[in-house]
């Protein structure tokens, strides 16, 4: 049956490279001569161990991870780390610093407060969040265990690309939720104690969270006693193949295929592509004579989650989304607390998809009933 692939702008899971899907399809019933699908392989088999190790080395190569850090693959969604982070990295202290940049930062704090005293680095910004609080308003508790922040808020479309490292007390670990942007720009990983991200945005399908952890922070003696063994990271890394329990084997496989594909171009290619795609869409929005509005301050606009509203309100938004869906677009409705339109533009989205979205948006704008704002 002939069909056309959707233009998938979902916030995750989202589109994957077509060649990755085709390879998975070709190997689906007989992976590497085993006579089995990857989903059927024992996680202790030599064939899956090879996949497992390829994922970890693939991340190391693509992200240029230094020897001081290690890659850990955890079976869950990244939001599970909201509790696992304080369980593992309080290091005997009772307080931790948290920066609020949007919805997921707030959700993270709600979980963290069950395990420690949370110092909010700055007051929560007014909603909808359109910017990160000015740096001179920050207050970092120098005695706290670490500083946590979310570098790209998927729902709010707010990103912090230039973190003020000079405000971080000496030897304080910097911990970052990079779920929506890891792999879309070059970063100096040595500046971070922990980075974590769900792979279902830039690297594969849901079910796996990648942690990049500074090795010196993995100290069994400082893990909270209540920590479940599967989230006791010093304990997990001591397991055979660092595979404490049964991983999400199929998701690991898809992640490996994606990493193998992306490593052929390299991270700089994807950073340049991310900048180009987001600039195209923001430029169109900013030049729509006020019909489409991006509320986030330009300095803090996310390249991965472009959020905009229609100035004519909710009914116009519903009409636009219906028109886009009829043209083969998926995943464009805004986050449940934000509304509007959200175009999540991750690594596998070809630039053609952004051009198509702009074309649909322009057609809607120029309809006779919409010409006058």
């Amino acid at each position: 049956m002939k069909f056309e692939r959707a233009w998938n702008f979902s916030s995750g899971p989202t589109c994957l490279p077509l060649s990755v899907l085709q390879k998975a399809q070709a190997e689906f019933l007989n992976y590497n001569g085993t006579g089995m699908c990857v989903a059927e392989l024992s996680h202790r088999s030599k064939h899956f161990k090879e996949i497992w190790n390829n994922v970890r080395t693939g991340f190391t190569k693509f992200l240029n991870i230094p020897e001081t850090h290690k890659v850990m693959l955890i079976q869950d969604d990244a939001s599970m780390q909201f509790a696992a982070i304080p369980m593992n990295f309080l290091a005997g202290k009772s307080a931790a610093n948290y920066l609020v940049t949007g919805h997921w930062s707030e959700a993270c704090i709600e979980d963290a407060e069950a395990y420690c005293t949370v110092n909010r680095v700055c007051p929560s910004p007014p909603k909808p969040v359109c910017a990160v609080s000015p740096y001179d308003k920050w207050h970092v508790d120098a005695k706290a265990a670490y500083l946590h922040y979310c570098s790209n808020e998927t729902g709010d479309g707010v990103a912090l690309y230039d973190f003020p490292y000079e405000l971080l007390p000496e030897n304080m670990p910097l911990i970052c939720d990079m779920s929506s942007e890891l792999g879309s720009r070059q970063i100096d990983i040595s500046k971070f104690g922990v980075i974590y991200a769900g792979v279902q945005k830039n690297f594969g399908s849901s079910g796996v969270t990648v942690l990049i952890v500074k090795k010196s922070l993995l100290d069994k003696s400082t893990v909270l006693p209540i920590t479940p063994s599967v989230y006791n990271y010093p304990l997990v890394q001591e397991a055979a193949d660092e595979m404490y329990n049964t991983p999400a084997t199929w998701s690991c496989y898809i992640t490996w295929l994606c990493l193998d594909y992306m490593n052929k171009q390299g991270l700089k290619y994807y950073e340049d592509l991310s900048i180009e795609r987001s600039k195209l869409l923001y430029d169109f929005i900013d030049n729509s004579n006020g019909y489409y509005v991006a509320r986030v301050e330009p300095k803090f606009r996310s390249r991965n989650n472009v959020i905009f509203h229609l100035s004519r309100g909710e009914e116009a938004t519903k009409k636009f989304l219906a028109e886009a869906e009829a043209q083969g677009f998926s995943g464009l409705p805004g986050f449940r607390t934000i509304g509007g339109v959200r175009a999540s533009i991750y690594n596998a989205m070809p630039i053609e998809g952004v051009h198509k979205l702009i074309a649909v948006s322009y057609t809607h704008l120029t309809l006779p009933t919409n010409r006058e704002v």
Side-chain angles (χ1 to χ4, degrees):
M1 182 176 66
K2 188 177 181 180
F3 70 98
E4 291 187 8
R5 282 180 54 74
W7 295 108
N8 186 354
F9 285 89
S10 297
S11 61
T14 188
C15 59
L16 296 171
L18 181 58
S19 63
V20 165
L21 295 173
Q22 290 169 332
K23 184 173 177 60
Q25 180 187 46
E27 296 180 337
F28 190 75
L29 295 178
N30 183 19
Y31 172 72
N32 200 20
T34 61
M36 292 179 283
C37 174
V38 169
E40 299 175 291
L41 294 177
S42 165
H43 65 294
R44 298 298 180 188
S45 68
K46 67 176 184 179
H47 296 285
F48 181 74
K49 286 181 182 179
E50 181 180 38
I51 293 171
W52 178 259
N53 290 327
N54 284 339
V55 174
R56 295 192 293 173
T57 57
F59 271 120
T60 299
K61 178 181 178 181
F62 188 68
L63 299 173
N64 192 27
I65 298 173
E67 286 290 326
T68 52
H69 290 62
K70 72 183 309 170
V71 174
M72 300 182 70
L73 304 175
I74 307 299
Q75 181 184 342
D76 67 15
D77 174 77
S79 58
M80 186 63 201
Q81 302 310 309
F82 297 171
I85 292 299
M87 286 178 180
N88 280 273
F89 302 111
L90 281 173
K93 298 182 179 181
S94 59
N97 295 298
Y98 280 78
L99 174 66
V100 177
T101 52
H103 173 87
W104 292 110
S105 300
E106 290 282 4
C108 186
I109 286 176
E110 288 180 15
D111 280 5
E113 285 178 329
Y115 307 100
C116 65
T117 300
V118 168
N119 172 58
R120 290 175 178 257
V121 172
C122 57
S124 296
K127 296 179 180 179
V129 180
C130 299
V132 176
S133 297
Y135 300 155
D136 60 3
K137 303 294 185 183
W138 291 21
H139 170 68
V140 179
D141 181 357
K143 295 181 180 180
Y146 56 78
L147 191 154
H148 178 285
Y149 78 109
C150 177
S151 60
N152 186 106
E153 288 280 359
T154 313
D156 302 85
V158 172
L160 179 56
Y161 293 124
D162 298 312
F163 187 88
Y165 298 107
E166 67 276 8
L167 298 183
L168 193 69
E170 187 176 3
N171 298 322
M172 178 175 287
L174 183 61
I175 299 179
C176 189
D177 175 357
M178 289 193 179
S179 287
S180 285
E181 66 143 347
L182 186 65
S184 66
R185 68 181 177 104
Q186 299 174 96
I187 56 173
D188 183 354
I189 287 176
S190 67
K191 293 184 179 294
F192 294 84
V194 183
I195 294 170
Y196 64 95
V199 302
Q200 72 273 14
K201 316 228 183 227
N202 287 310
F203 297 109
S205 57
S206 59
V208 176
T209 295
V210 57
L211 270 74
I212 303 167
V213 186
K214 191 171 185 179
K215 295 174 183 176
S216 61
L217 296 179
L218 292 168
D219 184 350
K220 194 186 302 184
S221 68
T222 60
V223 175
L224 294 184
I226 61 170
T227 304
S229 58
V230 291
Y231 292 107
N232 183 322
Y233 294 141
L235 184 64
V236 169
Q237 67 150 352
E238 292 177 355
D241 303 302
E242 299 185 22
M243 199 187 302
Y244 187 85
N245 59 342
T246 306
T249 53
W250 180 259
S251 294
C252 287
Y253 167 65
I254 295 296
T255 301
W256 167 46
L257 295 185
C258 287
L259 284 166
D260 185 59
Y261 175 85
M262 292 190 296
N263 268 315
K264 291 179 173 66
Q265 285 97 1
L267 182 53
K268 179 63 165 60
Y269 168 84
Y270 287 98
E271 180 175 41
D272 292 343
L273 181 61
S274 180
I275 292 170
E276 183 180 6
R277 290 176 310 201
S278 58
K279 185 178 187 303
L280 278 171
L281 187 50
Y282 280 123
D283 283 352
F284 170 76
I285 294 165
D286 291 340
N287 288 285
S288 67
N289 196 31
Y291 190 83
Y292 299 109
V293 180
R295 296 173 177 172
V296 176
E297 291 182 16
K299 178 181 178 181
F300 299 110
R301 286 178 175 178
S302 168
R303 300 170 192 160
N304 302 87
N305 307 103
V306 177
I307 294 173
F308 58 96
H309 290 74
L310 279 71
S311 58
R312 289 197 169 184
E314 188 175 343
E315 288 305 313
T317 302
K318 289 179 180 178
K319 182 180 177 183
F320 170 80
L321 291 171
E323 291 169 3
E325 185 176 2
Q327 294 294 317
F329 288 82
S330 177
L332 286 173
F335 188 61
R336 57 185 178 272
T337 60
I338 304 297
V341 181
R342 173 174 59 181
S344 294
I345 311 172
Y346 299 124
N347 281 4
M349 174 59 68
I351 198 164
E352 180 187 3
V354 176
H355 283 297
K356 293 279 189 182
L357 177 58
I358 290 172
V360 168
S361 302
Y362 180 78
T363 298
H364 175 84
L365 170 63
T366 54
L367 289 172
T369 55
N370 296 332
R371 284 177 183 168
E372 295 298 326
V373 177

